[in-house]
Amino acid sequence: MLSINEMVDRIRVVNQCMKHSIKEHDPDDSINEFLKEIGTAVNASAIYIYTLEKNHDYVCGFAWISEKDKTHEPVLALRSKDLAEEWRQKLDRGDSISVPDLRSIALKEPQAYKTFSQMGISSMIMCPITIEEELYGFVVFSNLDASYNQTG
């Protein structure tokens, strides 16, 4: 359960993002500012937004990489096989995925391990983006503070 201070901090971040989006005329700038504010608040190394294409591959439409960690190399297109089958099923159901240590999947899901480790990711949370209960894409938060990597 979040403490009052953690809840206030999260609300502050959302308010900053909303304030910026109201001032911006370019939706892309607003999304980039959202990613920066949220990434900084959760001390992520990077955040990526991938959208699902008709061929069932994913394209990176937005990426924010922290100033402190320029080792990240975003993969602009992910093939469906780059994701573990279990992950695809969870995302399709609208469930988030937490991988506190990417090395833990190296033997079971070598393709997913290879893809994400080459991006400089050692831990991550993936959250689905759905529109009318259909998977539209997902957001990847990489190398968060350990306290944030506790989702199911």
Side-chain angles (χ1 to χ4, degrees), residues 5-123:
N5 287 337
E6 290 170 321
M7 289 177 73
V8 168
D9 285 344
R10 289 182 184 182
I11 291 168
R12 178 191 54 78
V13 168
V14 170
N15 285 338
Q16 287 173 329
C17 292
M18 295 302 292
K19 185 195 267 183
H20 181 77
S21 70
I22 290 168
K23 290 192 297 187
E24 283 299 322
H25 299 291
D26 183 350
D28 289 355
D29 286 345
S30 292
I31 291 170
N32 287 324
E33 187 63 26
F34 265 64
L35 296 180
K36 177 183 174 186
E37 291 290 336
I38 292 168
T40 301
V42 298
N43 200 25
S45 292
I47 301 175
Y48 307 100
I49 298 178
Y50 286 92
T51 55
L52 180 62
E53 299 294 303
K54 289 182 179 171
N55 64 0
H56 301 288
D57 290 343
Y58 301 89
V59 174
C60 184
F62 294 93
W64 169 82
I65 300 173
S66 169
E67 290 294 321
K68 69 181 169 78
D69 189 357
K70 292 298 184 181
T71 62
H72 275 252
E73 289 291 330
V75 172
L76 299 180
L78 292 173
R79 295 165 299 169
S80 186
K81 69 178 186 176
D82 292 332
L83 298 180
E85 177 62 29
E86 177 185 349
W87 297 355
R88 288 194 303 272
Q89 291 172 2
K90 280 186 161 191
L91 291 169
D92 281 340
R93 288 192 310 262
D95 296 335
S96 296
I97 298 148
S98 176
V99 184
D101 184 352
L102 195 66
R103 295 173 297 186
S104 68
I105 68 160
L107 294 176
K108 184 178 176 188
E109 299 291 348
Q111 182 62 41
Y113 173 76
K114 178 181 175 188
T115 299
F116 289 99
S117 64
Q118 287 176 342
M119 292 172 67
I121 294 175
S122 58
S123 66

